[in-house]
């Protein structure tokens, strides 16, 4: 075999280690799956068993290195304690890859973790690649390989699924039987000690049988590597991704807003999206969207045409599509005109196009409308609703299939999806549509979710390279915090627009320096370890004369104890924005930007990207904010120069990525108005400085 991926997905000889003839044992299930008549696997299958010479009619040997011919793939189902020795045998027998299905490793505690460590150490030393342990196995329909615990081999097709959880390996088979969904390769990674998503993606990206990739991720071992692997595939094949384990992410004890809003899952999802993947929220959608993208091209724009025999369903679908960010625009008068002789007198040609209940002419109308809309330049996708009677009439589905064929022959590349609302007795008609590669989503809700997720993704934007490193400051506070004046100074030296500031040590000093600075000023108490100053009454804005400044200083000392204060020029009113950075243990430097100020965490309106980014990508971050309308000048405020804000985000992302000593950067707020941007608050923290106080 040329490499371990070939050996895994197209083996000539497979050995089951722990093979058995006893029904109910994994070793027997594997033998049966590999040799099932339905699978039609052409390779050779042998069993490894301490004493048997034959199992279920297959040859058996006591050890892997006792087999007379070269084995390509070992499937291991023996008890965990035996597995390191089995891997050693694989090495001796020059088997390039082993799938360890057995559980009882790191998922069970310290003892199992030690066993897993020994297994992987042996595998690395002997050059054996390992899938698992504690996994469901591997499937490759191109050669009929079912080396898994699945209850059957799914139908052949273009979707390859990489899943951490075996449950979705199982689900693949039922989606295949019930929904006609076709698969090429399925791999469950289990504890993922060696082979990971990035390894498999590199292969599947080049695999001619794989048209679409579905990815279910629980944990991510090397985020940057995964990002690169996905980003190099998405220009040619759709990748649909689900990240589970999202709920645990908000639990990081966070001292900065940036840290609170960039939990592990938020970063992972932002990175997957940035790499060009279609993001879904649940496993059913993962399979549904992957199947749709395998059957139909992605949507190249947001405009959808609906053809329906129920006004109500058309309205509901319109609402749901628009809620997902798609549009159901009115068709041009010219196009509507051409529908006049197709539709009945009470029909509507606007969009949704309503054929009413004139069921005698359903097939004629659906056929003509689908063809015309598929060929029209006014919409990016066509969605016939087949509701009850139209779904029950086989000739309606038939007319749609024929119309699609004619449109494709004429060069149309837009997708056609059906919204299906029908009784079980219509299932045969649905199966014919699915076989003709037309997705049939259940009800308007399922249709809207699937269509929105099938929207074409912009090309992946890879983080730029990093400039010269930014030197670290000489001193840090307890907890690794950089002092306020030091942090402002670092930003100012880098050329960022920091409001004029100075430290003051007593009330007279404060008043004198305020006078020099010019009113109005802002005074902030600086106390070690204090975060979120305004919550503690440590920020006084709008101080407009010397006595107000002196009084504010005295008040701080009375309430918060003795200590210095930061005096700042007050920025003109504007929109409060945030720019932050964090070093993620897996994805590396990330940049965050969005609506800031004191409500930042309540609003949670921020965008994340792997850093550093350029101004164009920064602009896309801003355009994606829910509150982007606020930038256009809200309630008499001056419209904000978005290009300039994007430039600032990009420059800060460059600077942050280059400041490799810095783990957290939280600039909140930058006060923005028109062309002016003023940084009035910043926090910086270096984790590595925590230990030396
Ligand atoms: P913290 O985030 O620690 O509570 P900030 O320094 O961000 O404290 O101040 C809280 C709020 O006070 C800011 O969101 C802003 O509305 C206002 N503010 C602070 N400094 C200035 C300044 N120099 N000019 C104008 N407004 C300011
Ligand atoms: Mg702040």
């Amino acid at each position: 075999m040329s490499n371990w991926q070939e050996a895994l997905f197209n083996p000539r000889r497979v050995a089951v280690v722990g093979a058995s003839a006893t029904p109910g044992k994994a070793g027997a299930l594997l033998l049966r799956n590999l040799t099932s008549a339905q699978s039609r696997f052409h390779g050779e299958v042998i069993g490894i068993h301490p004493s048997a010479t034959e199992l279920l009619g297959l040859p058996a040997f006591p050890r892997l290195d006792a087999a007379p011919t070269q084995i390509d793939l070992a499937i291991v189902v023996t008890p965990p304690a035996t597995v390191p020795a089995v891997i050693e045998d694989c090495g001796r027998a020059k088997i390039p890859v082993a799938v360890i299905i057995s559980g009882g490793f790191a998922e069970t505690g310290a003892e199992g973790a030690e066993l897993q460590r020994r297994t992987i150490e042996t595998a690395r030393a002997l050059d054996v690649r390992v899938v698992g342990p504690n996994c469901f196995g591997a499937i490759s329909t191109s050669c009929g390989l079912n080396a898994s615990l699945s209850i059957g081999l799914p139908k052949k097709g273009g979707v390859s699924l990489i899943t951490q959880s075996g449950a979705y390996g199982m689900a693949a088979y039922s989606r295949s039987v019930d929904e006609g969904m076709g698969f090429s390769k399925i791999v469950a990674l289990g504890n993922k000690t060696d082979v990971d998503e990035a390894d498999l993606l590199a292969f599947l990206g080049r695999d001619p049988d794989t048209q679409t990739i579905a990815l279910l991720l629980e944990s991510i071992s090397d985020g940057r590597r995964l990002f690169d692997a996905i980003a190099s595939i998405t220009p040619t094949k759709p990748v649909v991704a689900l990240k589970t384990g999202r709920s645990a992410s908000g639990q990081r004890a966070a001292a900065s807003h940036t840290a609170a809003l960039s939990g592990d899952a938020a970063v992972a999802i932002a990175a997957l999206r940035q790499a060009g993947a279609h993001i879904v929220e649940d496993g059913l959608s993962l399979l549904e969207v992957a199947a749709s993208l395998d059957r139909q091209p992605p949507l190249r724009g947001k405009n959808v045409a609906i053809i329906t025999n129920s006004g109500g369903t058309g309205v509901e679908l319109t609402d749901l599509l628009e809620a997902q960010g798609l549009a159901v625009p009115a068709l041009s008068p010219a196009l509507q005109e051409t529908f006049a002789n197709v539709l009945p007198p009470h029909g509507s040609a606007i969009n949704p196009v309503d054929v009413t209940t004139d069921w005698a002419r359903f097939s004629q109308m659906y056929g003509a409308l689908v063809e015309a809309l598929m060929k029209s330049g006014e919409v990016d996708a066509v969605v016939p609703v087949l509701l009850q009677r139209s779904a029950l009439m086989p000739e309606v589905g038939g007319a749609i299939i024929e119309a699609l064929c004619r449109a494709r022959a004429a060069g149309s590349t837009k997708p056609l999806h059906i919204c299906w609302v029908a009784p079980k007795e219509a299932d045969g008609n649905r199966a014919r549509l699915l076989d003709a590669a037309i997705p049939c989503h259940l009800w308007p809700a399922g249709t809207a979710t699937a269509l929105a997720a099938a929207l074409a993704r912009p090309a992946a934007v890879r983080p730029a390279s990093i400039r010269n490193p930014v030197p670290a400051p000489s001193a840090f506070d307890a907890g690794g915090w950089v002092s306020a004046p030091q942090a402002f100074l670092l930003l100012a030296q880098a050329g960022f627009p920091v409001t004029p500031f100075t430290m003051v040590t007593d009330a007279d000093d404060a008043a004198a320096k305020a006078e020099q600075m010019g009113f109005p000023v802002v005074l902030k108490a600086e106390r070690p370890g204090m975060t979120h100053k305004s919550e503690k009454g440590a920020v006084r804005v709008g101080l407009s004369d010397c006595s107000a400044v002196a009084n504010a200083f005295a008040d701080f000392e009375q309430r918060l104890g003795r200590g210095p204060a930061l005096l700042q020029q007050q920025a003109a009113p504007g929109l409060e924005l945030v720019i932050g950075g964090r070093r993620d243990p897996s994805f590396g430097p990330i940049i965050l930007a969005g609506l800031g100020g004191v409500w930042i965490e309540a609003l949670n309106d921020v965008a994340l990207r792997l850093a550093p980014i350029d101004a164009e990508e920064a602009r896309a971050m801003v355009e994606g904010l829910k509150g982007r309308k606020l930038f256009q000048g809200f309630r008499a405020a001056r419209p904000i120069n978005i290009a300039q804000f994007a430039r600032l985000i990009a420059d800060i992302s460059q600077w942050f990525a280059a400041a490799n000593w810095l783990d957290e950067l939280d600039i909140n707020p930058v006060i923005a108005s028109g062309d002016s941007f003023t940084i009035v608050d910043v926090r910086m923290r270096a984790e590595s400085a925590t230990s030396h106080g």
Side-chain angles (χ1 to χ4, degrees):
M1 290 273 118
S2 49
N3 55 37
W4 66 269
Q5 293 102 328
E6 268 298 306
L8 176 62
F9 293 123
N10 195 17
R12 283 167 309 202
R13 280 179 217 93
V14 183
V16 176
V17 186
S20 165
T22 313
K25 287 202 153 186
L29 175 66
L30 259 303
L31 288 184
R32 284 191 195 288
N33 274 352
L34 284 163
T35 56
S36 114
Q38 181 235 350
S39 306
R40 293 205 293 267
F41 176 53
H42 289 309
E44 206 178 299
V45 180
I46 65 166
I48 302 298
H49 184 279
S51 54
T53 55
E54 193 225 275
L55 289 164
L56 301 174
L58 300 165
F61 302 90
R63 292 163 66 115
L64 283 165
D65 45 2
T69 42
Q70 173 65 46
I71 292 159
D72 303 311
L73 172 63
I75 310 295
V76 184
V77 294
T78 52
T82 65
V83 170
V86 171
I87 297 301
E88 217 174 305
D89 288 351
C90 288
R92 255 196 299 274
K94 302 264 176 280
I95 301 174
V97 56
V99 176
I100 305 175
I101 292 183
S102 322
F105 292 86
E107 78 281 8
T108 58
E111 213 171 299
E114 172 55 22
L115 209 50
Q116 181 165 310
R117 196 194 56 73
R118 270 174 45 216
T119 303
I120 206 65
E121 199 178 75
T122 312
R124 294 248 157 86
L126 300 174
D127 214 10
V128 179
R129 297 306 302 262
V130 166
V131 177
N134 184 33
C135 78
F136 155 90
I139 285 175
S140 170
T141 60
S142 13
C143 68
L145 177 80
N146 181 5
S148 80
L149 303 172
S150 174
I151 52 177
L153 186 74
K155 201 180 114 173
K156 209 167 174 166
V159 178
S160 284
L161 168 69
I162 304 174
T163 166
Q164 202 158 344
S165 134
Y168 279 88
M170 296 281 185
Y173 179 70
S174 55
R175 292 306 278 180
S176 161
V177 172
D178 297 344
E179 298 285 314
M181 180 173 177
F183 290 88
S184 176
K185 320 278 186 297
I186 301 174
V187 187
L189 294 172
N191 293 4
K192 217 163 42 173
T193 48
D194 176 32
V195 169
D196 68 5
E197 306 81 23
D199 291 319
L200 292 169
L201 283 165
F203 174 79
L204 295 175
R206 296 188 306 265
D207 174 29
D209 294 335
T210 297
Q211 305 304 329
T212 304
I213 296 169
L215 203 52
L216 188 147
L217 299 158
E218 235 165 81
S219 64
I220 293 170
S221 25
D222 183 342
R224 283 276 165 156
R225 208 170 138 248
L226 178 65
F227 177 90
D228 286 336
I230 296 177
S232 51
I233 294 175
T234 47
T236 51
K237 292 180 189 182
V239 174
V240 189
L242 167 66
K243 169 75 179 80
T244 60
R246 301 189 289 265
S247 46
S249 65
Q251 289 167 14
R252 174 196 309 276
S256 81
H257 302 290
T258 296
L261 295 177
S262 62
D264 299 345
V267 170
I269 291 167
L272 293 168
R273 189 173 279 131
Q274 188 178 346
H278 298 258
I279 306 299
V280 292
E281 309 259 312
D282 66 280
L284 183 58
S285 303
L286 176 72
L287 296 174
E288 183 77 0
V289 172
S292 307
L293 287 169
D294 192 39
R295 289 177 163 126
Q296 292 285 310
L299 278 75
R300 295 275 160 216
K302 296 189 169 178
N303 294 331
V304 179
I306 299 172
I307 308 165
T308 181
N309 60 322
S310 146
T313 312
V315 173
E316 184 195 350
L317 182 55
T318 302
D319 286 348
L320 295 173
L321 288 172
E322 290 190 347
Q324 296 268 10
L326 299 178
V328 183
L331 300 172
S332 69
L335 191 56
Q336 290 190 42
E337 190 97 339
T338 65
F339 294 167
N341 47 8
V342 181
L343 291 170
H346 302 300
S348 166
I350 302 172
N351 195 17
V353 179
D354 191 342
V355 301
T356 74
T357 53
D358 188 2
W359 52 270
R361 294 178 52 245
F362 273 172
S363 62
Q364 184 206 341
M365 291 191 290
Y366 273 97
L369 292 166
V370 163
E371 188 174 351
L373 288 164
M374 286 296 290
K375 289 178 177 170
S376 132
E378 291 180 29
V379 290
D380 304 296
V382 179
V383 182
V385 175
L386 293 188
L387 177 108
Q388 308 303 351
R389 205 181 293 277
S390 56
L392 281 158
M393 296 165 70
E395 62 273 28
V396 175
I400 293 175
I401 295 171
E402 282 168 24
L404 175 64
C405 286
R406 285 194 299 273
R408 287 276 182 264
S412 167
T413 56
K414 71 182 66 148
L416 176 91
H417 290 236
I418 283 175
C419 169
W420 184 261
V421 188
K424 269 204 174 323
E425 54 184 301
D427 278 359
N429 294 342
R430 182 163 180 264
R432 270 189 292 280
L433 287 160
L434 292 171
D435 274 349
I438 300 177
C440 283
H441 309 292
L442 300 184
W443 297 69
T447 309
T449 309
L451 273 173
L455 191 63
R457 301 278 311 124
V461 177
R462 288 168 193 267
S465 58
I466 294 171
R467 294 179 316 186
N468 303 331
V470 172
S474 51
F476 295 91
D477 293 354
W481 295 101
V482 178
S483 74
Q486 183 69 254
F488 278 111
L489 191 66
L490 281 167
L491 291 182
Q493 283 168 344
F496 300 124
V498 170
T499 195
F501 69 96
T502 181
M503 290 302 285
V504 294
T505 49
D506 61 45
D508 290 342
D509 185 30
K513 284 178 175 158
E515 181 96 74
Q516 281 170 18
M517 190 174 265
F519 295 104
V521 295
V522 177
L523 196 67
K524 302 178 183 181
E526 283 299 324
R527 299 291 183 274
M530 187 164 68
T531 55
H532 308 322
K533 299 176 291 295
S534 44
E535 276 171 29
K536 283 148 197 131
V539 177
R540 292 288 301 278
V541 297
L543 304 174
S544 51
D545 56 40
C546 289
S547 70
V549 174
N551 287 341
F553 193 97
D555 171 59
F556 287 162
E557 295 222 304
Q558 201 192 342
R559 282 187 302 107
L560 306 167
R562 295 184 61 83
L566 180 80
L567 179 74
Q568 287 180 328
Q569 201 168 79
Q570 180 161 319
L575 185 63
E576 300 205 355
L577 302 169
V578 61
I579 302 177
R582 186 166 79 76
R583 280 197 154 64
D584 183 89
S586 176
F587 286 95
I590 57 134
I591 184 87
L592 167 150
L595 296 187
V598 291
W599 306 116
I600 170 173
E601 285 179 42
L603 295 174
N604 190 7
D605 191 10
V606 296
L608 293 167
R609 295 290 190 278
L610 302 192
I613 53 167
D614 61 13
E616 196 184 329
E617 187 62 12
R619 189 174 183 117
M621 291 174 82
V622 179
E623 304 289 355
L625 294 173
K626 294 191 276 285
R628 65 190 167 282
K629 281 214 170 107
L630 294 172
F631 287 76
Q632 293 162 10
F634 200 67
R635 304 220 166 160
R638 280 158 65 208
I640 290 162
N641 184 332
I642 293 184
Q644 205 172 317
F645 182 50
R647 184 75 265 157
L648 182 62
I649 298 170
D651 288 348
I652 290 176
S653 86
Q654 291 281 348
W655 181 85
F656 175 71
N660 56 9
W661 51 271
L662 184 57
D663 292 297
E664 252 173 77
L665 167 70
D666 197 39
I667 300 178
N668 180 35
V670 182
I671 300 181
S673 172
D675 293 336
S676 125
F677 295 85
T678 314
I679 294 171
V680 304
D681 187 26
V682 59
R683 292 174 62 71
M684 292 182 188
R685 196 169 96 95
E687 235 148 69
S688 53
T690 316
S691 44
H692 8 109

